[in-house]
Structures are given as structure tokens and as C-alpha cells.
Amino acid sequence: MSERSQFLWLFFSLSGRLSPVAYALAGVLLVLVQFFPFYQFARVELNTTASQNWAMICWGVLLISAWATFAVTAKRFHDFGKPTYFALISLIIGPILLVVLACFRSDPGPNRYGRRTNAPGDS
């Protein structure tokens, strides 16, 4: 699998499993990606074209990162053998869930979502 397809699988696919370390690193990357446009928005003067542009970028990043958080969390729940709908919790209590899921070991061996952790599902 190419690096690009691994990146797309990690942040946008709902199939497969994810280890605690990969989940934590993906979560940190998502937080950093969210932080940058918000920081830029805070730096510009309000009611200017630049502030409006940064506000639109912030909304776009927020929407895309919400899906990416959901996808990463779904794969983390798959590593526990739990279905995707458990990841809906991440949209409500995301930061707390990031810390909790990053601290617990997953189910050893294969389960119905894949043969191994940090790989796409077998579907």
C-alpha cells in the first residue's frame, strides 16, 4: 500500500483496526492541523477579508477533521472488536476519548475487523 493510500485509509476509511500508539499519534496530528488555522484566524484583524478567509478555512478544517476523528476512532474501537457506531461517542467527548482509548491495550490476534492492528480490514 502506498503512503498516500495509507494516509487516506487512516483518516477517511472506516475499515480495519488501529493500535493505541497509532491512534494517539493520529489524534495529536489532528489537533495540530486544527490549531494552525485557528491560530492564523486569531492573528488577523476582525472584519477583514483575511479574517473571513481564515474563518472559512477553520470551518472546513473542523468538518474534515471531525470525519477523520470519527474514522480513526472507529478503527480503534474495531481493535477492541466493537462496531463502528461506538465511534459516535468521539463526536461528543473527543478529547477525553482520545486519552482513554490511547491508554488501553487492544484485543490480541485477529477479530472480525481484521487480522492485525494498523492495517486495513479484510473485506
Side-chain angles (χ1 to χ4, degrees), residues 102-122:
C103 293
F104 289 97
R105 297 189 67 95
S106 54
D107 294 341
N111 68 21
R112 67 182 178 173
Y113 296 104
R115 287 185 292 240
R116 62 186 181 87
T117 298
N118 297 336
D122 301 329

Side-chain angles (χ1 to χ4, degrees), residues 68-79:
T69 299
F70 178 74
V72 168
T73 304
K75 285 188 276 296
R76 184 68 192 116
F77 274 114
H78 290 171
D79 211 33

Side-chain angles (χ1 to χ4, degrees), residues 28-100:
V28 168
L29 179 60
L30 286 168
V31 167
L32 291 174
V33 166
Q34 291 170 356
F35 176 76
F36 178 75
F38 287 107
Y39 172 73
Q40 293 299 329
F41 176 73
R43 291 185 57 208
V44 298
E45 187 176 329
L46 291 178
N47 299 321
T48 63
T49 303
S51 71
Q52 292 172 354
N53 291 340
W54 280 112
M56 291 301 292
I57 291 169
C58 288
W59 278 109
V61 167
L62 185 66
L63 292 173
I64 292 169
S65 64
W67 174 261
T69 299
F70 178 74
V72 168
T73 304
K75 285 188 276 296
R76 184 68 192 116
F77 274 114
H78 290 171
D79 211 33
F80 288 106
K82 303 298 180 204
T84 300
Y85 66 83
F86 274 50
L88 289 173
I89 298 167
S90 71
L91 299 176
I92 299 166
I93 57 168
I96 296 167
L97 192 60
L98 173 69
V99 172
V100 170

